[in-house]
Amino acid sequence: MLVERTDVRNIAIIAHVDHGKTTLVDSLLKQAHVFRSNQQVAERVLDSNDLERERGITILAKNTAISIYDAERDQQVKINIVDTPGHADFGGEVERVLNMVDGVLLLVDAAEGPMPQTRFVLWKALEMGHRAVVVINKLDRKNADLNRALNQTFDLFIELGATDEQADFPVIYAVATTGQAGLTPELGPDLKPLFDTILRQIPCPIVDADAPLQILVTTLDYDNYRGLTAVGRVSAGRVRAGQPIVRLTRDGRQLPESARYLYVHDGLQRVDVASAEAGDIVAIAGLEETAIGETLADPEFPVALPVIKVEKPTVRMSFGVNTSPLAGREGRWGTSRRLRERLYEELRHNVALQVEDTDQADTFVVSGRGELHLAILNETMRREGYEFQVSRPTVILQERDGETLEPYEEVHVQTPPDTVGAVVEMLGKRRGEMVHMADSSNGTVTMVYRVPIRGLLGFRYQFLTATHGMGIINSLFAGYSPFAGPINGRSRGSLVAWEPGVTTTFGLKNAEERGSLFIGPGTEVYEGMVVGEHQRPGDLGINVCKAKHLTNMRNSIQDIEVRLTTPQDMSLDKCIEYLNEDELKQLNNIVEQYLAFAESQALRKKPMRMLDWIDKLHGFLTLNERDVLEGLGHLSKEEADDLALREHTKYRVANRIGPDHESDFDKAVKRLKGKNPKEPSA
């Protein structure tokens, strides 16, 4: 029999990035007396992940619970709260946790109004039939416009197809940082108006506690002492600690399990309980195996709940074993077996991710919801001690009626007026189409573009540089449209180390004159390593390991102290623009072809002398329409001669070659000098 549980409310807090979700949760916990009066509590207490705190965003959905007194019904009410990510790249987290709740708190910034991710999270909530309480937050902002924010929010509800009941939403005004709320902009001293609205407006769970047990697994965790932990809502029936259950997999199998340990959330803690019933959000530990989207059910009546549906990935990149000259220096785990296990383990809780094997045993293709989604996975694995190499992200194309389609995003940009021209030019080159442009109340210019995701890969870093860190960019997946054509990448080349070694202050100081650096002194580099950005188009080989010749005299005070510009901190987000997969493939193809030719010569028992290598390689590169010594003039003759002499001297010493011996290299040098006796310096 269906009954209404008035002692429970299950809500999710949804919003755009940085509209105050986690801060509001902090205030709710404090005013529900979860913490002692003298307890020191960190800000954004639910953002316990290091990357969340560093980036200032919520990546993983979190569960907590508070208890408040309902004076109207004279009872204690438990409110289960789920804090959700606001970035669209982590929409998979939002989509799965909304299955656990009966209503949502939609936070809207009083100054910014609804933003791209507001549209996404609200759309998902309305699609599931949830009612919303709208919280107009940050009333204390200087440029807050309450009427505009509220009107735009109502328009958004209508645009997303809200029902009459959903569109008739209650409104609370608040300042989450101070823990104040009110039914009008005249705020009270605390959040009591918000608590009362939750009790009156968020629906109570309507459940059948006597029906067979059903729990949809929505979150996974791991306890070092009690093993795998599954979090989900009891949709029907009752569950007891130690009770035998059956796990219904996505492919229809029925596997026996046991609810060895049963918890519920209380504040920030999980508390052991003997039983729980329909409407409760529980955590079950000690399971042998389970995955998100599976159903835990009664063995006698095993009925599966609908599988969680998640939007498909739009971007992919390859993860492979690190084959660089510096492999094995940093990570603890770098084998293909370890890498494969870790990537497939991620699928257990990251439902928006896809992993595929390739025809190469040491390379795997990983697909996600966006560039940030994959970057977070990359950084998480790196911090865990995994060592690997990645390719440049590429978009996932579709074929429809013989036409190639690619994913697009709706991009919202806020930038100072003096940088509008630069932003318009940058997005235009990336095939962006302007949809809207208007002046904002805070003195900035707001622009809305529709841009292929290809054009946005690595764009955010360049955008922040062009707007001097003052610009704000947000995006939302906007579907698939016809392929937009070629998109040019960055206009500047790279500074490339031309020899292995350890960087020196002297070498880096010379390199600074040619562009900006990514590394500082004392860094080990390998030949061909990208160490900076060239100030001109085209790549430039440069000696960052060059040491100053020692003398007994100082020419100037500058010799005493050399100061370098602080190198750029290159995260994966920034490095993406420097991962040019096409160029790498072309280079590998040429190398493989030439080595195959050399092997053929060896099989035919034709020796390859140094002179042969020079002649054949020159001809081979010419045949492949490759410019030999591209970038001529960027390197001085003195630097080239110095490097050649030092390397040749090291070779002679190592091989005990006397000064009178004339090698093939010496003969080749004489021949080249004979061809060009008046070689100019750069």
Side-chain angles (χ1 to χ4, degrees):
M1 182 176 71
L2 294 176
V3 296
E4 187 178 61
R5 286 196 61 182
T6 60
D7 63 330
V8 175
R9 301 290 189 278
N10 298 314
I11 63 172
I13 301 182
I14 60 175
H16 180 78
V17 176
D18 201 32
H19 277 202
K21 298 183 303 297
T22 307
T23 304
L24 180 63
V25 173
D26 289 350
S27 295
L28 290 172
L29 291 171
K30 291 175 182 177
Q31 296 193 22
H33 307 294
V34 171
F35 311 113
R36 302 187 311 274
S37 58
N38 62 344
Q39 185 175 346
Q40 295 292 322
V41 182
E43 293 184 359
R44 302 172 60 87
V45 66
L46 286 189
D47 283 349
S48 55
N49 183 288
D50 289 341
L51 285 173
E52 291 179 320
R53 290 194 170 276
E54 291 172 15
R55 293 175 178 255
I57 59 174
T58 299
I59 297 171
L60 303 172
K62 315 289 195 317
N63 291 81
T64 187
I66 59 176
S67 292
I68 59 175
Y69 178 68
D70 185 356
E72 187 173 310
R73 290 192 171 100
D74 189 24
Q75 65 179 160
Q76 285 292 123
V77 178
K78 182 175 185 178
I79 302 177
N80 289 304
I81 303 171
V82 184
D83 184 21
T84 64
H87 200 288
D89 279 19
F90 308 109
E93 293 282 315
V94 179
E95 289 167 312
R96 61 183 175 84
V97 299
L98 286 178
N99 287 274
M100 289 194 294
V101 302
D102 301 296
V104 298
L105 298 185
L106 175 66
L107 267 67
V108 178
D109 190 299
E112 295 182 351
M115 297 294 285
Q117 272 77 53
T118 312
R119 173 185 294 272
F120 172 77
V121 294
L122 180 59
W123 168 49
K124 290 299 179 183
L126 296 177
E127 191 177 46
M128 292 185 179
H130 294 321
R131 290 200 62 188
V133 174
V134 174
V135 181
I136 306 296
N137 191 29
K138 302 189 180 183
L139 264 68
D140 55 339
R141 288 192 62 173
K142 181 179 178 181
N143 53 343
D145 189 339
L146 307 186
N147 291 330
R148 179 179 59 85
L150 184 57
N151 290 334
Q152 290 179 349
T153 302
F154 179 78
D155 293 341
L156 183 60
F157 271 76
I158 301 303
E159 186 180 338
L160 295 176
T163 65
D164 292 343
E165 186 182 18
Q166 290 173 326
D168 187 22
F169 51 83
V171 180
I172 297 293
Y173 301 90
V175 177
T177 52
T178 60
Q180 295 175 273
L183 298 176
T184 68
E186 298 295 327
L187 304 183
D190 52 29
L191 294 175
K192 187 177 183 301
L194 178 58
F195 285 123
D196 291 341
T197 302
I198 292 173
L199 294 176
R200 303 285 82 83
Q201 299 294 334
I202 298 297
C204 304
I206 300 175
V207 299
D208 186 354
D210 298 322
L213 174 66
Q214 289 179 306
I215 302 174
L216 183 66
V217 178
T218 54
T219 303
L220 290 180
D221 201 354
Y222 190 84
D223 188 287
N224 291 329
Y225 300 99
R226 297 185 172 183
L228 185 66
T229 301
V231 179
R233 173 176 171 168
V234 184
S235 299
R238 293 182 175 87
V239 60
R240 301 182 310 277
Q243 173 184 336
I245 55 177
V246 64
R247 176 165 60 91
L248 307 178
T249 66
R250 295 180 180 180
D251 56 5
R253 293 177 295 155
Q254 300 182 14
L255 304 174
E257 291 279 2
S258 174
R260 280 181 274 179
Y261 307 100
L262 183 64
Y263 312 99
V264 295
H265 294 90
D266 184 10
L268 302 178
Q269 308 297 322
R270 287 177 180 166
V271 181
D272 289 274
V273 292
S275 65
E277 62 183 55
D280 291 325
I281 293 177
V282 299
I284 299 175
L287 302 173
E288 294 295 330
E289 189 98 8
T290 192
I292 289 175
E294 296 181 342
T295 300
L296 304 178
D298 188 329
E300 298 183 4
F301 302 95
V303 179
L305 291 166
V307 177
I308 298 174
K309 296 181 179 180
V310 180
E311 296 289 334
K312 294 182 178 180
T314 57
V315 179
R316 63 161 63 103
M317 66 193 305
S318 65
F319 284 59
V321 174
N322 186 13
T323 58
S324 81
L326 301 182
R329 306 286 182 90
E330 295 184 2
R332 289 179 291 171
W333 300 300
T335 64
S336 60
R337 180 180 64 84
R338 284 280 194 176
L339 181 61
R340 186 180 189 277
E341 289 176 353
R342 175 61 180 83
L343 289 173
Y344 277 94
E345 178 68 22
E346 185 72 15
L347 297 181
R348 293 167 64 89
H349 60 86
N350 198 337
V351 294
L353 204 72
Q354 293 182 4
V355 179
E356 305 170 49
D357 293 330
T358 67
D359 54 0
Q360 300 178 0
D362 60 352
T363 303
F364 311 92
V365 175
V366 182
S367 305
R369 292 284 288 270
E371 179 185 331
L372 181 60
H373 189 196
L374 296 176
I376 292 296
L377 172 63
N378 185 311
E379 183 62 16
T380 300
M381 291 177 58
R382 188 190 68 79
R383 296 189 182 194
E384 291 174 357
Y386 289 87
E387 185 176 298
F388 51 94
Q389 62 187 28
V390 297
S391 70
R392 178 183 175 90
T394 58
V395 300
I396 300 174
L397 304 177
Q398 293 184 357
E399 292 290 334
R400 190 180 302 167
D401 299 329
E403 185 178 23
T404 301
L405 307 179
E406 66 175 322
Y408 279 69
E409 287 194 352
E410 181 182 293
V411 181
H412 292 242
V413 172
Q414 282 187 325
T415 185
D418 59 337
T419 61
V420 168
V423 174
V424 170
E425 182 181 3
M426 292 168 66
L427 287 172
K429 290 181 178 179
R430 294 171 178 260
R431 301 284 181 171
E433 296 180 3
M434 184 181 292
V435 178
H436 176 72
M437 181 176 181
D439 293 330
S440 302
S441 58
N442 59 359
T444 62
V445 178
T446 299
M447 294 178 287
V448 180
Y449 274 83
R450 199 168 186 274
V451 189
I453 292 182
R454 283 186 302 129
L456 295 176
L457 298 177
F459 172 72
R460 283 171 172 79
Y461 164 61
Q462 292 190 358
F463 170 78
L464 290 175
T465 302
T467 60
H468 314 296
M470 301 296 292
I472 300 173
I473 181 171
N474 295 285
S475 59
L476 180 67
F477 179 62
Y480 276 79
S481 294
F483 192 78
I487 296 176
N488 296 325
R490 56 190 172 88
S491 58
R492 296 183 178 182
S494 301
L495 297 178
V496 181
W498 77 10
E499 68 174 2
V502 178
T503 59
T504 65
T505 303
F506 182 75
L508 292 175
K509 189 63 180 177
N510 292 332
E512 275 191 348
E513 300 174 0
R514 313 294 179 93
S516 57
L517 297 174
F518 303 156
I519 57 175
T523 303
E524 188 174 4
V525 299
Y526 56 85
E527 184 180 357
M529 180 174 171
V530 176
V531 297
E533 182 180 60
H534 192 200
Q535 59 189 6
R536 298 178 180 177
D539 296 342
L540 173 63
I542 198 155
N543 186 4
V544 291
C545 304
K546 183 177 183 180
K548 184 173 176 62
H549 295 297
L550 299 177
T551 65
N552 294 327
M553 300 290 292
R554 298 190 184 275
N555 297 326
S556 71
I557 193 68
Q558 295 179 351
D559 290 341
I560 301 175
E561 182 180 8
V562 177
R563 295 191 177 184
L564 297 173
T565 304
T566 303
Q568 297 184 44
D569 181 21
M570 298 297 290
S571 63
L572 177 64
D573 314 50
K574 299 177 182 177
C575 288
I576 282 175
E577 281 281 289
Y578 294 87
L579 300 175
N580 195 325
E581 194 170 1
D582 292 338
E583 289 182 2
L584 185 61
K585 285 182 178 179
Q586 294 173 18
L587 177 61
N588 287 338
N589 288 338
I590 292 175
V591 172
E592 289 174 1
Q593 293 171 24
Y594 189 69
L595 291 178
F597 164 74
E599 184 179 3
S600 174
Q601 292 289 89
L603 292 173
R604 295 163 59 190
K605 302 188 183 302
K606 288 191 173 184
M608 293 276 288
R609 299 176 300 163
M610 180 60 71
L611 291 174
D612 297 322
W613 277 98
I614 294 173
D615 290 338
K616 299 292 186 185
L617 183 58
H618 186 97
F620 197 80
L621 292 173
T622 303
L623 179 65
N624 281 271
E625 299 179 348
R626 298 292 169 181
D627 294 331
V628 181
L629 296 181
E630 186 177 356
L632 181 65
H634 295 302
L635 180 67
S636 70
K637 180 178 182 301
E638 289 76 14
E639 289 176 317
D641 288 345
D642 180 61
L643 176 64
L645 181 60
R646 285 190 285 117
E647 293 298 319
H648 193 48
T649 301
K650 287 193 292 184
Y651 173 79
R652 285 182 176 275
V653 171
N655 292 275
R656 303 178 182 273
I657 299 175
D660 298 331
H661 177 78
E662 189 174 45
S663 65
D664 290 342
F665 177 81
D666 297 320
K667 295 175 182 177
V669 170
K670 285 184 177 180
R671 191 179 72 162
L672 290 173
K673 287 183 175 180
K675 288 183 178 180
N676 191 13
K678 297 182 178 180
E679 183 181 3
S681 10

